[in-house]
Amino acid sequence: MGTRAWALLLVLCGTIFLEGIDVAMLAVAIPSIRSDLDLPTDTAAWVMSAYVLGYAGFTLLGGRAADLLGRRRMFLTWLTVFLAFSGLGGFATEGWTLIVARFVTGVSAAFMTPAALSLITTSYEEGEQRNKALLVFAGTAAGGFSLGLVIGGLLTQLGWRWVFFAPVLLAGALLVAAIRLIPHQPHQPRPAESENAESENAEPGNAEPEKGPGRPRRRTEGFDILGAATAAAAMLLAAYAVIRLEHGLDGWRLTAGAALAATTLLVVFVAVERRTPTPLVRLGILRTGSVVRADLGALLFVGAFFGFQFVLTLYLQELRGWSSLQTAIALVVLGCDAILAPTLTPRLVTRFGHAKVILGGFVLAVVAYGLFLPVGMDWSYAAMFPTLIIAGTAFALAYGPLTIAATDGVAESEQGLASGLLHTFTQFGSAIGISAVTAVYGLASSGASAGSDPDATLSAFRAALIVPVAMVTLGALLSSFGIGSRTKPPTAGASAVPAVPTTAAATVIAATPADAIPGASANPARQGSS
């Protein structure tokens, strides 16, 4: 790649790095924020959860908007919104201001990130160059989150407001560079239904105004407003239901009601998409087996990864008494995938194919989490290190290739949609993983004084650790179905779009709350997806 190509890649990678450090730093800073602003526990929890709702609720819409309204336009617009509302959070003096700021920041990430990913897939030549760019992008995402844990700990020592102002400075620099480096894109007609695909390429000189079924449409023509509204509402309610799972049977009626409403709206959404001539989501994309398998695999892998980190963080802080900064530094080794993803993984994919590398990543994850099941009260860091390094390596092997497999055979005109789908699965995966380990912990510790009895707490942690082991085991079985199938060469313009696991749900692993799990000892900064 030339100098300008590398510069563009650095800007796009800088965006995902920005998102990673943003969510990680906030997780570290939550206790200080709550203490300084005297926030109730529920309000502090919603500062974290608001980002999850915004991100998960609008990712699908954000991905499709990049296809229809322009990738450059969506990227620059929502990077500006991200910058503005991060700054608003830094000036907040009340809890509701922080919640609004984090919700809008999550929404902006839901539009900005798919646009960045589809810019990569359409700016770099398909094949080795594009795969290298994607794996560098994936590694940068993980590196941003890992470094964000440490940087957040340091900035919080100076003052928690710097956790909001630092991303503003980085976002500003990226915005200036992006305006110069991202080229204006030619008009991309909205793809017609599959049966009319050939007619879209009819005589280029034909400029008749009437609306033929295969005539290229303007990006905004026939925009599926009803589909967009029902999709956003369904995703918001589904995300809310998922993050309420950690409450177990507490308030189950509200959780069930949200899940039922989300399901109803999803059915309505499918009905709308089947009837509209210009659907927001072409449902035929879900008939591609490799796409669905990769999306489900990403959900299971990311969910297990962040669920494990969440339990590990609470183990280190609640039982071992480690500080937030000590815990963050201990977890940095998990970021080894930032080095391995762009160096080792491409060679393995070239030699063995992405399906086998994905399966290898899942198998390593089963080993890593399984090794931690018998965790003891006084385990040394050396005893934990094998799990951490193997888990980081597993992430490097599985995550990048999963993103490649997730868009195998998807046309370039639907790269934003493919990105949005993958993001949606990873967002819900991280939320499900954390909520599931929290719920299992609550059930395992019910009836026991887990908050005051270290042995009971440790036993409950061990029970919760079964969740990530089960998730990656299921993922390994699912990914094994792709081993025997022959990988088809991608269609013209098809490419790989990575998703990013650095969500607000994921950030709960970062440093803090003893009471983020039901029954744990009290801590003023209950965080996570609650």
Side-chain angles (χ1 to χ4, degrees), residues 184-280:
H184 291 275
Q185 296 173 298
H187 168 70
Q188 282 284 353
R190 182 185 179 109
E193 293 300 319
S194 56
E195 61 268 20
N196 298 320
E198 292 183 3
S199 60
E200 288 191 354
N201 297 321
E203 295 89 343
N206 184 1
E208 293 181 348
E210 58 269 11
K211 295 183 180 181
R215 187 179 69 83
R217 304 175 175 88
R218 297 188 304 274
R219 281 190 180 100
T220 55
E221 181 181 335
F223 191 80
D224 184 12
I225 299 296
L226 183 57
T230 53
M235 293 299 101
L236 280 169
L237 286 168
Y240 179 68
V242 167
I243 61 180
R244 279 198 55 83
L245 289 176
E246 67 179 60
H247 296 288
L249 297 179
D250 233 6
W252 67 268
R253 289 184 177 84
L254 181 57
T255 305
L260 180 60
T263 303
T264 302
L265 283 172
L266 185 60
V267 172
V268 172
F269 171 71
V270 171
V272 169
E273 298 308 277
R274 285 182 177 276
R275 291 169 180 258
T276 182
T278 56
L280 178 74

Side-chain angles (χ1 to χ4, degrees), residues 150-421:
V150 180
I151 296 173
L154 295 174
L155 289 179
T156 303
Q157 299 300 315
L158 300 176
W160 64 263
R161 296 184 187 276
W162 279 104
V163 167
F164 290 89
F165 293 144
V168 170
L169 299 176
L170 178 56
L174 290 172
L175 183 60
V176 172
I179 292 173
R180 295 177 57 87
L181 290 170
I182 299 177
H184 291 275
Q185 296 173 298
H187 168 70
Q188 282 284 353
R190 182 185 179 109
E193 293 300 319
S194 56
E195 61 268 20
N196 298 320
E198 292 183 3
S199 60
E200 288 191 354
N201 297 321
E203 295 89 343
N206 184 1
E208 293 181 348
E210 58 269 11
K211 295 183 180 181
R215 187 179 69 83
R217 304 175 175 88
R218 297 188 304 274
R219 281 190 180 100
T220 55
E221 181 181 335
F223 191 80
D224 184 12
I225 299 296
L226 183 57
T230 53
M235 293 299 101
L236 280 169
L237 286 168
Y240 179 68
V242 167
I243 61 180
R244 279 198 55 83
L245 289 176
E246 67 179 60
H247 296 288
L249 297 179
D250 233 6
W252 67 268
R253 289 184 177 84
L254 181 57
T255 305
L260 180 60
T263 303
T264 302
L265 283 172
L266 185 60
V267 172
V268 172
F269 171 71
V270 171
V272 169
E273 298 308 277
R274 285 182 177 276
R275 291 169 180 258
T276 182
T278 56
L280 178 74
V281 176
R282 185 178 63 82
L283 299 178
I285 195 174
L286 299 177
R287 300 192 192 103
T288 307
S290 61
V291 171
V292 175
R293 187 165 55 245
D295 286 345
L296 289 174
L299 181 151
L300 292 167
F301 190 87
V302 171
F305 187 78
F306 289 124
F308 168 74
Q309 286 194 10
F310 184 49
V311 176
L312 172 61
T313 300
L314 293 177
Y315 161 77
L316 293 176
Q317 292 185 41
E318 182 176 336
L319 287 181
R320 307 300 299 276
W322 292 21
S323 68
S324 296
L325 185 57
Q326 286 176 316
T327 302
I329 293 174
L331 295 181
V332 165
V333 67
L334 286 168
C336 65
D337 64 313
I339 299 173
L340 297 177
T343 55
L344 174 64
T345 307
R347 298 179 183 179
L348 295 176
V349 170
T350 300
R351 182 170 181 179
F352 301 106
H354 63 259
K356 291 182 179 179
V357 177
I358 290 171
L359 179 58
F362 271 106
V363 171
L364 279 183
V366 173
V367 173
Y369 305 148
L371 286 174
F372 211 79
L373 284 175
V375 59
M377 190 73 68
D378 56 353
W379 268 25
S380 66
Y381 184 69
M384 306 176 209
F385 187 80
T387 287
L388 300 180
I389 192 67
I390 294 174
T393 303
F395 199 95
L397 294 185
Y399 178 59
L402 274 170
T403 64
I404 294 174
T407 53
D408 187 22
V410 177
E412 182 175 320
S413 59
E414 293 185 320
Q415 284 302 301
L417 172 59
S419 174
L421 285 170

